[in-house]
Amino acid sequence: MTGEAFTPKRCGLVGGGVIGAGWAARFVLNGHDAVLYDPSSDSRARAEAILTMARAAWARLMPGALPPEGRLLIAATLDEALDDAAFVQESLPEIETLKCDVLGRIDALLPASVPIASSTSGLLPTRLQAGLRHPERFVVGHPFNPVYLLPLVEICGGAQTSDETKETVAAFYRAIGMQVLHVRKEVDGFIADRLLEALWREGLWLIEEGVATTAELDDAIRYGAGLRWSFMGTFLTYRLAGGDAGMRHFLAQFGPALKLPWTKLVAPELTDALIDRVASQSDEQAGGVTVRALEGLRDEALVKIIRALATVGPEGYAAGATLNAFIARNAGKATDEGTVAADGTLTSWHGTVSPDWIDYNGHMTEHRYLQVFGEATDNVLAVIGAGRDYVAAGHSFYTVETHLRHLGQAHDGMAITVRTHILDADAKRLHLFHTLTKAGDDAPLATAEHMLVHVDAVQGRSALIPESVATAIAALRAAQSALPIPEAAGRAVVMPRRP
Ligand SMILES: NC(=O)C1=CN([C@@H]2O[C@H](COP(=O)(O)OP(=O)(O)OC[C@H]3O[C@@H](n4cnc5c(N)ncnc54)[C@H](O)[C@@H]3O)[C@@H](O)[C@H]2O)C=CC1
Ligand SMILES: C[N+](C)(C)CC(=O)CC(=O)[O-]
């Protein structure tokens, strides 16, 4: 086990329900093979269905490059799932005796170096690891549903868990796009579920007392606090509620409310009558919409929220910052983006058409082409040594002219690629021609021709291209010397007339 470098090719999964299958999807989408063991007869169908949903969600979440997928394999036995596994994630039902029994068997079958993580929502790791031969490699990795979209994972070690295990597993989870919250002090329910349970308990009490229905309770969250929780949580939000004086004033004003009776509610008895009432109100609330359809709605909303948060501030905010960091780490890994092939082909952008890029005509709307071509230009500039650091140091290239042609249609979810030909360059100018195609296809869907001028951004005027960048441009042009000049290069916008 070695910190950041831990990239298990093969991950064993024990238990393939809602959570196990969700983990399998996240592993596969990150390029790891997931070998899943679950004795239930529908485990394959469920895992494949969840992978399909996850794949669709990721294509929308990250229209940029994704790592090449790993394989989803279904094992017939526990031994088969663990064979050659470099990491194991246990997602059995929340029954301590069952978990202890199966974890003991997993521990006996695996070499001591393989970390074992449990998805338990609240069982104490010290108790789960007690009977293991190698308790130091056991840790809780508690995810949130849907595992393939929500970044949070709580890591909680037991008394015998080694720091190395916690760090190794945390680094692995980060590498697959998750936000790790270390639970420093072992406690039932860890951190997040204690908060969720407090709200859930109050909700059950309000239903029992006839104060509100399941639908009203959900409205109480989703039209108000739920929106702000998704990026600020409770404490930052309440800091703002305290005005300029912040949390101290908030506590002075609302702290005394802790003594009022409504802050001390207890959990209601989960009687058959209460269960019936909650279940039937929930059925009525769902209004016949299936669980599958609700999951689709949930995924669509989560993708859009996380993508929106990714655009807040310079680096994205909350889950949006996690997404941006993940995309940056994976940039260029999956595809040949930014690379020059032996024949001089420069792949400058690769990604997937996002649903919010589609217009009323049912295909990718025009300004998104300019966005993609603009990002392709940025990638070309990075290749020639004029990327972000270069701009931060005071120089840049500005686009002064663009000619876009729309030749075909890009549709929702389509993987698309941009290739760039450097047509010309001189002491101050760079002349680019981009061609956008469906990935793996040669037929252009759109092209863009741009003239860029090198500038001294501090002085606010054009400037000579420095030697290092000019040399990189010359090398690229030499590599592309055998490429045919695109037939549309230099074309103006004209309306052809019949003779
Ligand atoms: N459902 C949720 O929202 C969350 C659940 N968790 C935790 O994840 C774990 C799994 O929960 P879910 O996936 O919701 O439960 P689930 O009931 O959907 O799945 C459990 C799966 O384990 C399988 N299983 C039973 N005995 C087995 C055995 N001996 N070997 C292999 N597989 C076996 C079952 O066939 C079932 O498919 C629990 O510890 C739970 O607390 C964590 C986060 C969220
Ligand atoms: C209900 N639950 C305790 C299993 C929930 C979780 O553990 C996390 C989640 O996804 O809400």
Side-chain angles (χ1 to χ4, degrees):
M1 291 189 243
T2 49
E4 286 292 338
F6 181 64
T7 50
K9 178 67 198 135
R10 204 171 160 97
C11 301
L13 289 133
V14 183
V18 175
I19 295 305
W23 275 117
R26 189 177 270 276
F27 294 157
V28 167
L29 292 173
N30 273 282
H32 304 274
D33 288 345
V35 195
L36 186 149
Y37 170 63
D38 187 316
S40 85
S41 57
D42 60 349
S43 61
R44 178 186 295 276
R46 183 171 46 224
E48 285 174 353
I50 289 186
L51 178 56
T52 303
M53 288 197 302
R55 193 181 280 125
W58 272 46
R60 287 156 174 70
L61 190 63
M62 286 166 266
L66 288 178
E69 281 189 15
R71 292 172 302 165
L72 173 65
L73 304 164
I74 306 298
T77 62
L78 181 64
D79 294 41
E80 194 185 319
L82 303 186
D83 188 30
D84 224 14
F87 175 74
V88 171
Q89 184 80 38
E90 167 273 306
S91 306
L92 294 163
E94 193 76 335
I95 303 166
E96 188 170 315
T97 48
L98 172 69
K99 285 200 191 267
C100 287
D101 173 44
V102 179
L103 284 169
R105 283 191 275 146
I106 296 172
D107 179 52
L109 285 164
L110 286 174
S113 60
V114 178
I116 305 171
S118 171
S119 302
T120 178
S121 298
L123 300 175
L124 296 178
T126 293
R127 292 170 64 93
L128 294 177
Q129 73 188 163
L132 306 188
R133 277 181 319 144
H134 298 289
E136 71 287 348
R137 47 91 161 256
F138 174 82
V139 72
V140 165
H142 173 228
F144 292 78
N145 188 40
V147 182
Y148 54 84
L149 272 181
L150 292 190
L152 184 64
V153 59
E154 291 179 307
I155 292 224
C156 184
Q160 300 186 74
T161 307
S162 71
D163 287 345
E164 191 192 358
T165 299
K166 285 185 240 176
E167 281 155 26
T168 301
V169 173
F172 172 51
Y173 287 152
R174 280 190 203 101
I176 60 173
M178 303 186 89
Q179 181 73 27
V180 172
L181 179 61
H182 280 284
V183 181
R184 279 193 303 278
K185 193 167 171 180
E186 193 179 6
V187 57
D188 298 284
F190 315 124
I191 298 170
D193 274 358
R194 292 184 75 94
L195 297 176
L196 295 177
E197 283 297 317
L199 188 67
W200 173 240
R201 213 168 46 230
E202 299 292 343
L204 292 178
W205 185 88
L206 288 164
I207 293 170
E208 158 117 296
E209 294 296 309
V211 176
T213 63
T214 57
E216 288 162 344
L217 290 171
D218 284 348
D219 284 354
I221 298 297
R222 63 191 182 143
Y223 292 106
L227 286 171
R228 63 193 189 199
W229 274 336
S230 74
F231 54 92
M232 277 199 170
T234 296
F235 282 83
L236 264 186
T237 297
Y238 280 173
R239 182 180 179 79
L240 301 188
D244 287 344
M247 185 54 87
R248 203 163 281 283
H249 175 65
F250 180 84
L251 286 168
Q253 189 178 355
F254 300 107
L258 285 172
K259 296 202 166 57
L260 299 175
W262 58 267
T263 63
K264 296 188 183 59
L265 295 176
V266 288
E269 200 56 43
L270 202 54
T271 59
D272 287 347
L274 179 56
I275 291 172
D276 282 346
R277 188 183 293 188
V278 174
S280 62
Q281 285 184 3
S282 176
D283 289 345
E284 192 183 328
Q285 179 185 6
V289 180
T290 63
V291 168
R292 210 38 92 240
L294 285 172
E295 284 172 341
L297 202 130
R298 171 201 67 192
D299 283 8
E300 184 186 344
L302 280 173
V303 164
K304 287 182 173 164
I305 290 167
I306 298 172
R307 275 175 59 88
L309 290 174
T311 65
V312 176
E315 291 171 354
Y317 198 59
T322 308
L323 176 69
N324 286 341
F326 177 73
I327 291 172
R329 268 200 311 275
N330 281 290
K333 257 195 213 165
T335 65
D336 44 4
E337 187 174 292
T339 60
V340 187
D343 67 353
T345 303
L346 167 58
T347 303
S348 51
W349 196 91
H350 180 87
T352 311
V353 178
S354 174
D356 53 346
W357 292 8
I358 303 299
D359 64 15
Y360 49 81
N361 290 316
H363 52 228
M364 182 158 130
T365 200
E366 54 193 339
H367 72 275
R368 295 296 181 181
Y369 286 91
L370 187 55
Q371 174 187 327
V372 168
F373 286 128
E375 288 174 10
T377 299
D378 289 346
N379 291 337
V380 172
L381 294 178
V383 168
I384 59 171
R388 295 288 166 93
D389 292 347
Y390 186 80
V391 173
H395 284 85
S396 189
F397 281 88
Y398 290 176
T399 303
V400 291
E401 190 173 342
T402 291
H403 178 194
L404 261 175
R405 293 187 314 146
H406 300 276
L407 307 166
Q409 298 181 15
H411 295 289
D412 182 8
M414 182 188 278
I416 51 177
T417 297
V418 178
R419 295 193 193 89
T420 302
H421 192 143
I422 309 229
L423 293 178
D424 205 355
D426 65 10
K428 287 188 178 177
R429 291 174 301 177
L430 187 59
H431 187 179
L432 303 180
F433 193 92
H434 297 303
T435 303
L436 184 152
T437 65
K438 183 176 173 186
D441 201 352
D442 279 335
L445 299 179
T447 67
E449 189 171 345
H450 302 293
M451 184 64 75
L452 282 77
V453 170
H454 185 255
V455 292
D456 178 329
V458 181
Q459 303 283 336
R461 57 170 181 252
S462 66
L464 292 176
I465 298 173
E467 196 181 329
S468 60
V469 177
T471 306
I473 295 173
L476 204 45
R477 292 189 67 200
Q480 297 193 322
S481 58
L483 289 181
I485 300 294
E487 127 314 290
R491 242 184 67 171
V493 180
V494 288
M495 194 183 301
R497 303 260 179 222
R498 288 221 177 88

